[in-house]
Amino acid sequence: PIVADAQALTAPIPGVIASVVATVGQAVERGDELLTIEAMKMFNVMRSPWAGPVATIHVTEGERVVQGQPLVTFAPS
């Protein structure tokens, strides 16, 4: 479900989700680790660009993602 005025973190590169550490409902601070994308044998940690509660996690471990695909949506604060 899309939340009005929600903020979404999107994939900066194509790759495979190596791990997801955030949980729905978790309150995160700016810079907190959310998940890791593996691309070309390099692990890229995705950190929260905002502080606030995680509304939706759109991906699971092992899932292939494309650039621009939504990864995590944050509830408006």
Side-chain angles (χ1 to χ4, degrees), residues 36-53:
T36 303
I37 297 176
E38 181 186 357
M40 300 185 327
K41 301 194 182 194
M42 293 188 63
F43 291 91
N44 302 277
V45 175
M46 299 291 104
R47 298 189 179 277
S48 178
W50 305 286

Side-chain angles (χ1 to χ4, degrees), residues 15-22 33-38 57-65:
V16 175
I17 302 300
S19 66
V20 177
V21 296
E33 180 178 348
L34 301 173
L35 54 91
T36 303
I37 297 176
E38 181 186 357
I57 298 174
H58 300 280
V59 294
T60 57
E61 289 183 23
E63 183 176 340
R64 188 167 293 281
V65 295

